[in-house]
């Protein structure tokens, strides 16, 4: 009975190379970082300019009229809050910004949805919108005063003009980013035009649309000072312009910082709403 020849030893399979670990997760492209690291970096980014400002003001080589210290600005802000009606100025400015922004959104969202969905509407309206959006909002002040007057409607109209045309084009671009495969699949299943817009295009574009609203809300705040050029006697922008006439630089800094803080809180509110509305976009892995 013959035995089978001994089998030759086979070469061991080469080991797969170990994945190279990045030197630091902070420098890995799109790698997540811990919440603690995020907030430490955010705190560093916010405080570094403040410390540099304090150091430059303490150096003594600059006139406080042109660059007041952070302590002087903080004292002015406190005096404005307790004696000068800062809360009232914040309230009226917030009302103007929100009113102009909401008016823009109510018109721009459906208009941008149609521009992004139908090529005929795009050909009809997008060139005009592109043309108008390059016109500075401040140039419309004389016309707004002539057409609307000098009351609250004029200030809201300036903020509307400054945000509306940009918002329309951004909404249209968000709609155009909806994958064509989704639209084609719905058409294959017999969806009509209304169903395509209501059940496919608009729901798919919602996360991007909310981000667009967040960005354009920031633009609305940047047009506040321009809007309050129109015969205003209250508001943060009016206070900044009045302080400029009297070289009250600390008030100018205080007004700018207050606007920035309100804008930051608004931005974070939009981000929180985005996370709540679309939690699946923030799932890890």
């Amino acid at each position: 009975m013959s035995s089978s020849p001994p089998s030759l030893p086979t070469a061991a399979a080469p080991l797969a190379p170990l994945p190279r670990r990045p030197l630091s997760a902070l420098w890995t492209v799109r790698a997540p970082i811990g919440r603690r690291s995020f907030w430490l970096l955010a705190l560093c980014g916010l405080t570094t300019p403040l410390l540099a400002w304090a150091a430059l003001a303490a150096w003594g080589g600059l006139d406080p009229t042109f660059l007041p210290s952070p302590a002087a600005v903080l004292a002015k802000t406190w005096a404005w809050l307790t004696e000068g009606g800062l809360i009232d100025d914040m309230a009226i400015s917030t009302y103007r910004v929100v009113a102009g922004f909401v008016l823009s959104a109510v018109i721009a969202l459906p208009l941008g949805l149609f521009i992004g969905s139908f090529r005929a509407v795009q050909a009809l309206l997008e060139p005009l919108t592109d043309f108008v959006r390059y016109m500075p909002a401040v140039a419309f002040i004389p016309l707004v005063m002539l057409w609307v007057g000098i009351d609250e409607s004029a200030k809201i109209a300036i903020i509307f003009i400054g945000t509306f045309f940009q918002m329309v084009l951004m909404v249209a671009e968000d709609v155009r980013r909806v994958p064509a495969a989704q639209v084609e699949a719905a058409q294959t299943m017999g969806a009509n035009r209304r169903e395509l817009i209501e059940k496919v295009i608009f729901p798919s574009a919602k996360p991007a649309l909310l981000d667009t609203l967040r960005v354009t809300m920031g633009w609305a705040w940047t047009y506040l000072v321009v809007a309050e050029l129109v015969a205003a006697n209250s508001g943060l922008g009016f206070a900044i312009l009045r302080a400029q006439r009297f070289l009250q630089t600390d008030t100018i800094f205080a007004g700018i910082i207050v606007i920035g803080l309100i804008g930051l809180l608004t931005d974070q509110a939009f981000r929180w709403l985005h996370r709540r509305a679309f939690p699946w976009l923030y799932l890890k892995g």
Side-chain angles (χ1 to χ4, degrees), residues 18-263:
L18 294 175
R20 297 180 60 185
R21 297 177 62 86
L23 296 178
S24 173
L26 298 178
W27 296 105
T28 302
V29 176
R30 294 190 178 182
I33 62 175
R35 178 175 291 272
R36 182 179 179 184
S37 299
F38 177 87
W39 286 111
L40 285 175
L41 290 171
L43 183 62
C44 181
L46 288 172
T47 56
T48 299
L50 181 62
L51 295 175
W53 173 20
L56 189 59
W59 172 53
L62 296 175
D63 190 338
T65 303
F66 298 99
L67 185 65
S69 66
V73 173
L74 183 61
K76 184 63 179 181
T77 305
W78 178 253
W80 191 2
L81 177 64
T82 55
E83 303 170 7
L86 176 58
I87 298 298
D88 293 336
D89 287 331
M90 291 170 59
I92 189 61
S93 292
T94 302
Y95 163 73
R96 291 164 180 164
V97 169
V98 172
F101 170 78
V102 170
L103 182 61
S104 296
V106 166
I107 303 176
L109 283 174
L111 191 58
L113 184 61
F114 278 97
I115 291 175
S117 300
F118 300 101
R119 290 298 180 93
V121 182
Q122 178 184 357
L124 178 66
L125 297 179
E126 193 169 60
L128 175 63
T129 308
D130 266 326
F131 172 68
V132 177
R133 77 185 177 103
Y134 285 104
M135 299 178 182
V138 67
F140 286 91
I141 289 180
L143 292 175
V144 169
M145 294 175 67
L146 180 63
W147 294 338
V148 182
I150 58 175
D151 58 1
E152 290 300 314
S153 301
K155 302 165 185 60
I156 294 171
I158 295 298
I159 295 174
F160 170 83
I161 292 171
T163 57
F164 171 73
F165 298 98
Q166 304 281 358
M167 190 186 296
V168 168
L169 295 176
M170 292 181 68
V171 168
E173 192 62 32
D174 292 337
V175 171
R176 280 193 286 265
R177 290 197 187 102
V178 174
Q182 295 183 10
V183 178
E184 294 168 357
Q187 288 173 329
T188 302
M189 298 175 66
N192 56 34
R193 285 191 296 269
R194 180 174 180 177
E195 290 171 338
L196 283 174
I197 293 176
E198 291 183 353
K199 299 182 179 180
V200 179
I201 295 176
F202 182 64
S204 181
K206 276 183 181 180
L209 293 177
L210 188 54
D211 266 337
T212 291
L213 293 178
R214 177 178 62 84
V215 172
T216 50
M217 171 58 91
W219 290 345
W221 276 104
T222 63
Y223 283 104
L224 175 65
V225 178
V226 174
E228 292 184 344
L229 282 171
V230 185
N233 56 10
S234 61
L236 297 172
F238 168 75
I240 291 173
L241 295 171
R242 181 182 58 189
Q244 178 189 9
R245 291 195 293 267
F246 297 101
L247 283 179
Q248 297 172 342
T249 319
D250 51 357
T251 302
I252 296 175
F253 271 85
I256 292 173
I257 291 173
V258 169
I259 291 175
L261 289 174
I262 297 175

